C-alpha cells in the first residue's frame, strides 16, 4: 500500500471576513493558471513529498530498529506525535500566510521558512542518539514540511481555475506516489549512512522548492488590506475551527478524507514491519521489497490519478470517482490482509494504489470546489482541511499497536489491522459521495 466531526465554531464568527459562505465553491473564481505554474507546482510537490514521506515509508523504521531493536511500536508513537504536532501548527501558519504583507507576497516567505525548518529536522533525525531525539526531529519535520505542503495547497486555491483542479490534482497525485518509491530506493541504497538516508531526500525537496519560490511570481502583498480583527491569541485559537452549518459540504469532505486517511495510515505506518513478518526478512533488508511494491503500484496510481482527475474535469462529476477509489482501495487492503504469498501482496498493493490515486486526486478537486471564503481565507481553510490528514496520521499510529495485539500470542495481528483499514477507507468515500450536495 502507498502512504496521508468538525469542532463547534467560535462565538464571534469566522476569523476572516468575506462573502457569506454557502458551502459551495466559495467567492473567488481564479483565472486559468499558466502551464509553467502547473509544472513548478508538480515539481515542488514531488520534492516535498520525497523529503517527508521517505522517513515515514522506510527511514524512520530503519532508525527505530537501530535505536530500539524489537520495539516496533515506538514507530507508531513517533509518527503519532508528529501528526499531532502538525495538527497544532497547520492552521496557525495558514492564517499567518493569509495575513503576511511583504514584497514576496503572502505564501513565499513561509514557504522559505518551512523548507529551512524541514531540512534542520531531517538533520536532527539523522544524528539522533535515542528514540526521544528521533521523535523530536520528526515533530519538527511535520512543522516544516507540513507547513510547506499546506501552503502549496493554498497556492492552488489562489491560482487554479475550476477547470484545472482535477488535472493538477491528478498530476500532483501521481508524483505523490512516485516520491515514496524514489525515496525508498534512495533509503535502501543509503541505509548504511543515517545522515545521507535523511538528507538526500531533503535536498531534493529543498531544490524543488527553490525553483518554485524563484520562478512562481506572487504579487507584492503590501498593498492588500488586512483582514478585520487583531492578530492575537483569541484570533489564532479561532483559526482552528469553522462552522459546519455554514459550510456543510466542506465539513463532509473533511470528515470523509479523515476516515480514508485514518484507514490508509493504519497500514502505511507499519508497511516495513508487515512485509518483514510476511516474507521472513529483516526490517533493514525490506526496503527493496518496499521499492518493488511501490514500482508495481506506479502504473496503477497513474491510471487512478490521471483517469479520475481528468475524467472528473471533463465529465464535471467528482463524487462517483471518489466512491470508486475508496472501494478499490478497500479491496486492495482486504487482499493484503488475507495474502498468503508475496505475489498476492503485490496484487493487493496494486489495487490499493489504483484506488488511492483516484480517491486522493478527485477528493482534492472536491476540496478546492467547496473551499469556503476562498479570496480572504484560503490559507486558513487549507490548514483546516489538512487536519483531515494530520489528525488521521496522528491518531492511527497510536491505535494501530493496540489492534496488532488483539487475538495474538506474541505475534502481530496484521490481518485485523488491514481489514479495519479497509472499512475506514470505504466509509470515507461513502460519506463524501452521499452527503456532499453542491458538487456532482
Amino acid at each position: 500500500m502507498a502512504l496521508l466531526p468538525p469542532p463547534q465554531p467560535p462565538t464571534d464568527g469566522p476569523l476572516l471576513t468575506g462573502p457569506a459562505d454557502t458551502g459551495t465553491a466559495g467567492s473567488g473564481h481564479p483565472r486559468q493558471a499558466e502551464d509553467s505554474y502547473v509544472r513548478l507546482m508538480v515539481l515542488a510537490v514531488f520534492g516535498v513529498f520525497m523529503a517527508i514521506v521517505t522517513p515515514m515509508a522506510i527511514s524512520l523504521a530503519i532508525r527505530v530498529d537501530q535505536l530500539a531493536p524489537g520495539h516496533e511500536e515506538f514507530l507508531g508513537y513517533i509518527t503519532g506525535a508528529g501528526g499531532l504536532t502538525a495538527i497544532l501548527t497547520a492552521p496557525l501558519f495558514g492564517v499567518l500566510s493569509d495575513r503576511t504583507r511583504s514584497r514576496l507576497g503572502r505564501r513565499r516567505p513561509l514557504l522559505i521558512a518551512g523548507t529551512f525548518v524541514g531540512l534542520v529536522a531531517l538533520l536532527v533525525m539523522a544524528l539522533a542518539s535515542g528514540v526521544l531525539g528521533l521523535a523530536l526531529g520528526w515533530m519538527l519535520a511535520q512543522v516544516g514540511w507540513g507547513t510547506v505542503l499546506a501552503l502549496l495547497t493554498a497556492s492552488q486555491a489562489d491560482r487554479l481555475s475550476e477547470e484545472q483542479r482535477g488535472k493538477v490534482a491528478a498530476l500532483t497525485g501521481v508524483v505523490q506516489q512516485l516520491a515514496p518509491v524514489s525515496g525508498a530506493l534512495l533509503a535502501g541504497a543509503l541505509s548504511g549512512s543515517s545522515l545521507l538516508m535523511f538528507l538526500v531526500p531533503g535536498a531534493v525537496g529543498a531544490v524543488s522548492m527553490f525553483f518554485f519560490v524563484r520562478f512562481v511570481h506572487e504579487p507584492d502583498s503590501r498593498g492588500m488590506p488586512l483582514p478585520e480583527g487583531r492578530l492575537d491569541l483569541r484570533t489564532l485559537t479561532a483559526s482552528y475551527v469553522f462552522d459546519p452549518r455554514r459550510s456543510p459540504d466542506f465539513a463532509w469532505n473533511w470528515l470523509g478524507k479523515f476516515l480514508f486517511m485514518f484507514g490508509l495510515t493504519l497500514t502505511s505506518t507499519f508497511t516495513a514491519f508487515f512485509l518483514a513478518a510476511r516474507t521472513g526478512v529483516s526490517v533493514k533488508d525490506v526496503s527493496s521489497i518496499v521499492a518493488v511494491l511501490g514500482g508495481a503500484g506506479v502504473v496503477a496510481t497513474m491510471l487512478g490519478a490521471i483517469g479520475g482527475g481528468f475524467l472528473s474535469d471533463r465529465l464535471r462529476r467528482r463524487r462517483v470517482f471518489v466512491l470508486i477509489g475508496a472501494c478499490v482501495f478497500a479491496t486492495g487492503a482486504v487482499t493484503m490482509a488475507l495474502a498468503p504469498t508475496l505475489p498476492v501482496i503485490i496484487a493487493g498493493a496494486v489495487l490499493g494504489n489504483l484506488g488511492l490515486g483516484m480517491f486522493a486526486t478527485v477528493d482534492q478537486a472536491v476540496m478546492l470546489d467547496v473551499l469556503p471564503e476562498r479570496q480572504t481565507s484560503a490559507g486558513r481553510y487549507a490548514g483546516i482541511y489538512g487536519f483531515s490528514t494530520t489528525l488521521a496520521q496522528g491518531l492511527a499510529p497510536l491505535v494501530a499497536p493496540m489492534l496488532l495485539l488483539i487475538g495474538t500470542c506474541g505475534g502481530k495481528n496484521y490481518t485485523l489491522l488491514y481489514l479495519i483499514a479497509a472499512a475506514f477507507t470505504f466509509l470515507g468515500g461513502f460519506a463524501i459521495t452521499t452527503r456532499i450536495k453542491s458538487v456532482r
Side-chain angles (χ1 to χ4, degrees), residues 37 149 168 177 225 277 315 352 373 418:
Y37 172 83
L149 285 174
V168 174
Q177 301 308 309
L315 301 177
E373 302 175 36
Y418 274 73

Side-chain angles (χ1 to χ4, degrees), residues 206-225:
V207 170
S208 70
M209 285 308 303
F210 168 80
F211 283 107
F212 185 85
V213 170
R214 174 65 180 82
F215 295 109
V216 171
H217 174 71
E218 186 177 350
D220 189 327
S221 63
R222 289 176 292 183
M224 295 176 61

Side-chain angles (χ1 to χ4, degrees), residues 174-372:
V174 168
V175 299
Q176 285 173 23
Q177 301 308 309
L178 290 173
V181 176
S182 304
L185 289 171
L186 273 178
L190 302 171
S191 59
S193 171
S194 296
L195 187 63
L196 294 178
M197 186 171 59
F198 283 94
L199 290 189
V200 171
V204 174
V207 170
S208 70
M209 285 308 303
F210 168 80
F211 283 107
F212 185 85
V213 170
R214 174 65 180 82
F215 295 109
V216 171
H217 174 71
E218 186 177 350
D220 189 327
S221 63
R222 289 176 292 183
M224 295 176 61
L226 284 169
E228 295 182 3
R230 296 182 304 169
L231 185 61
D232 53 21
L233 181 61
R234 183 180 181 183
T235 299
L236 291 175
T237 302
S239 69
Y240 287 81
V241 296
F242 72 100
D243 189 343
R245 295 168 299 182
R246 295 185 64 202
S247 309
D249 285 349
F250 181 77
W252 281 111
N253 192 54
W254 188 100
L255 179 60
K257 181 66 176 296
F258 167 79
L259 292 172
F260 186 93
M261 291 304 300
F262 187 90
L264 172 63
T265 309
L266 285 176
T267 63
S268 62
T269 301
F270 290 91
T271 297
F273 290 110
F274 166 75
L275 292 173
R278 290 293 174 94
T279 61
V281 302
S282 68
V283 174
K284 183 177 180 180
D285 295 331
V286 83
S287 59
S288 60
I289 301 178
V290 173
V292 169
L293 283 180
V298 166
V299 174
T301 302
M302 292 176 64
L303 288 174
I306 294 178
F310 279 71
L311 284 175
S312 72
D313 277 351
R314 180 176 294 274
L315 301 177
R316 296 186 178 274
R317 292 183 180 274
R318 311 277 197 210
R319 293 183 297 169
V320 63
F321 293 103
V322 169
L323 182 60
I324 292 173
C327 290
V328 172
F329 183 94
T331 302
V334 172
T335 301
M336 294 184 75
L338 305 177
T341 62
L342 182 59
V344 181
I345 292 175
I346 293 174
V350 169
L351 280 175
N353 277 279
L354 178 65
L356 173 59
M358 182 173 293
F359 177 93
T361 295
V362 184
D363 178 73
Q364 170 128 340
V366 171
M367 182 275 293
L368 293 175
D369 287 343
V370 302
L371 191 71

